[in-house]
């Protein structure tokens, strides 16, 4: 969650023990946010709670051992943290959802490729009304997503029904949350 990324060959995890094996060394209050399988030259997108994102090629990250700490993927500003990471694919959109029920899809092409370790670009325009980013997902028109609040209210919707907007916009209402907040989003797996 502190913006670090790490790339390790799958063969390094081929001999797991009953108690598990170390996959990454974390410092202080850092937490593991996402693990994604790549082929060696994929573009990656990292999104933050304050609505920023960065897209860079994984070749900017050298291969490391299991116990390594990693390198900076995104330079975070004060009080920000990473909430999601995705492997970018063509003909997709990034769905960004904020805690007070707003969200939008943005075409993957709208995220320009940058060098690893920068501050990123605006992924969604935050307002007091919308709150902070809960997460971002890479979606296609045929996908369905679920959003759940802290009180357990859930909504399932088709990605195609969510408006496509540019990066520096607030989005539209996806879920009426009243006094609750969305805490998690996920793609529906049939």
């Amino acid at each position: 969650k502190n913006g670090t990324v790490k790339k390790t060959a799958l063969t390094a995890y081929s001999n797991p023990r009953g108690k598990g094996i170390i996959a990454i060394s974390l410092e202080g209050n850092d937490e593991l946010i996402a693990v994604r399988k790549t082929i060696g030259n994929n573009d990656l997108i990292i999104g933050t709670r304050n609505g920023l994102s960065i897209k860079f090629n994984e070749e900017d990250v050298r291969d490391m051992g299991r116990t390594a700490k990693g390198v900076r993927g995104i330079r975070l500003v004060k009080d920000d943290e990473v909430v999601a990471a995705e492997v970018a694919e063509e003909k997709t959109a990034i769905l960004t959802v904020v805690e007070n029920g707003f969200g939008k899809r943005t075409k993957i092409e709208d995220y320009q490729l940058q060098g690893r370790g920068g501050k990123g670009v605006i992924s969604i325009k935050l307002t007091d009304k919308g709150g902070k980013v809960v997460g971002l997902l890479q979606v296609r028109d045929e996908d369905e997503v679920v959003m759940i609040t802290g009180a357990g209210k859930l909504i399932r919707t088709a990605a195609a029904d969510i408006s496509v907007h540019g990066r520096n916009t607030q989005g539209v209402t996806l879920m009426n949350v009243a006094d609750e907040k969305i805490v998690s989003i996920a793609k529906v797996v049939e």
Side-chain angles (χ1 to χ4, degrees), residues 174-185:
L174 302 180
M175 182 177 187
N176 293 320
V177 295
D179 293 332
E180 303 172 43
K181 292 195 182 298
I182 296 175
V183 295
S184 187
I185 61 172

Side-chain angles (χ1 to χ4, degrees), residues 72-178:
R72 179 173 289 145
I74 187 169
R75 185 178 305 277
L76 298 174
V77 296
K78 186 178 178 183
D79 299 326
D80 201 2
E81 63 186 36
V82 173
V83 294
E86 293 285 337
V87 177
E89 297 175 15
E90 291 182 5
K91 298 180 183 173
T92 61
I94 296 296
L95 169 65
T96 308
V97 177
V98 296
E99 57 194 2
N100 292 334
F102 295 95
K104 63 172 179 161
R105 289 185 301 153
T106 303
K107 292 179 184 177
I108 196 82
E109 298 85 31
D110 288 356
Y111 294 86
Q112 67 266 26
L113 201 61
Q114 298 179 303
R116 170 189 66 77
K119 291 183 179 180
V121 296
I122 295 172
S123 186
I124 190 167
K125 187 175 183 179
L126 296 184
T127 63
D128 291 340
K129 182 178 169 185
K132 299 286 187 174
V133 175
V134 174
L136 58 85
L137 292 173
Q138 183 171 221
V139 294
R140 298 182 187 280
D141 285 348
E142 60 270 18
D143 289 331
E144 291 187 331
V145 295
V146 291
M147 293 166 267
I148 189 166
T149 67
K153 188 195 294 185
L154 181 138
I155 190 170
R156 178 175 174 168
T157 187
D161 293 341
I162 300 170
S163 300
V164 176
H165 294 278
R167 286 186 302 98
N168 195 10
T169 58
Q170 178 183 334
V172 297
T173 302
L174 302 180
M175 182 177 187
N176 293 320
V177 295

